[in-house]
Amino acid sequence: MNLKIIVTGPFAAGKTQFIKTISEIDVVETEKVVSSSNEKAVKDHTTVAMDFGRITIDENLVLYLFGTPGQSRFDFMWDILSEGALGVVVLVDSTSGESIKEARKIIDFFYTKLNVPYIVAANKQDLPKAWPPEFIKTSLDLDDSVKVVPCVATDKESVKKVILELLELVIKYIS
Ligand SMILES: Nc1nc2c(ncn2[C@@H]2O[C@H](COP(=O)(O)OP(=O)(O)OP(=O)(O)O)[C@@H](O)[C@H]2O)c(=O)[nH]1
Ligand SMILES: [Mg+2]
């Protein structure tokens, strides 16, 4: 079985990094140099279309990971990418209030559009200023049933844990 998973979240939340850390194939990236000085203050490149990676869980289950662009000016891609997806990881930069605010809009978009299981990954937990997952859950005003898990997208074990948490929900949902 093949499962399509969306990795989404605000600008610079760590989506491309997350997929690169876990993918067994070279990630197909669509990075371009950022255009505004605000963005430049954060980083040089941004995803303009998608990231694509793959994970083989076992001989019966392969996950296809589709990373979205984070900036809302590319949100036409969200529609295209979400077609047929069965689960969503919403990454949030846990050090940024702006990221949390944007994440709320993204969750609303995907939940309205897809209505499939999702989890929130409170990313960049290695940074000293990171808010804990519980704080992010409260700030996002999420239902108690929504899982908000800690994440460090540069760490393979951490990314794996997030994927497995989502997979559990997806398998329940489709069976
Ligand atoms: N310290 C730390 N840095 C991270 C982590 N995840 C990502 N980063 C860094 O955060 C920056 C943004 O990461 P990207 O993967 O480009 O973020 P993105 O969500 O794909 O960004 P856009 O596609 O532009 O929306 C990069 O400099 C990453 O190296 C993390 O868990 N910890
Ligand atoms: Mg990206």
Side-chain angles (χ1 to χ4, degrees):
M1 182 171 53
N2 297 333
L3 282 184
K4 179 175 177 181
I5 304 291
I6 298 289
V7 178
T8 190
F11 174 63
K15 304 172 290 294
T16 301
Q17 180 65 58
F18 183 93
I19 295 176
K20 273 177 146 172
T21 298
I22 195 82
S23 179
E24 66 203 11
I25 55 167
D26 280 345
V27 174
V28 180
E29 294 171 65
T30 59
E31 298 284 286
K32 291 277 181 284
V33 173
V34 294
S35 48
S36 80
S37 53
N38 279 356
E39 295 157 18
K40 197 146 191 88
V42 181
K43 60 186 185 131
D44 293 337
H45 287 77
T46 190
T47 304
V48 296
M50 63 182 276
D51 308 301
F52 175 72
R54 188 187 72 203
I55 321 169
T56 302
I57 302 287
D58 60 35
E59 58 203 14
N60 300 315
L61 184 57
V62 177
L63 306 186
Y64 290 100
L65 301 180
F66 287 78
T68 70
Q71 301 188 64
S72 49
R73 67 194 159 99
F74 301 122
D75 63 5
F76 60 93
M77 279 306 298
W78 298 355
D79 249 330
I80 297 168
L81 292 175
S82 57
E83 189 71 42
L86 282 172
V88 180
V89 177
V90 182
L91 282 172
V92 181
D93 179 342
S94 308
T95 67
S96 157
E98 188 57 35
S99 190
I100 297 175
K101 227 164 67 190
E102 273 299 304
R104 180 66 254 178
K105 293 186 212 160
I106 295 171
I107 290 169
D108 290 339
F109 174 91
F110 280 97
Y111 203 66
T112 310
K113 166 93 189 145
L114 276 172
N115 199 15
V116 297
Y118 74 96
I119 61 171
V120 175
N123 195 31
K124 307 194 184 181
Q125 286 294 318
D126 57 315
L127 295 177
K129 280 190 186 151
W131 283 300
E134 307 77 58
F135 176 87
I136 288 170
K137 182 166 182 163
T138 310
S139 308
L140 287 170
D141 195 22
L142 291 171
D143 201 83
D144 226 22
S145 60
V146 179
K147 278 190 177 167
V148 181
V149 295
C151 181
V152 178
T154 47
D155 174 38
K156 193 165 181 180
E157 284 309 308
S158 173
V159 173
K160 211 192 263 174
K161 235 170 146 179
V162 175
I163 294 284
L164 289 176
E165 290 263 10
L166 176 67
L167 201 52
E168 214 175 282
L169 299 177
V170 172
I171 286 169
K172 248 189 231 155
Y173 173 78
I174 59 178
S175 50

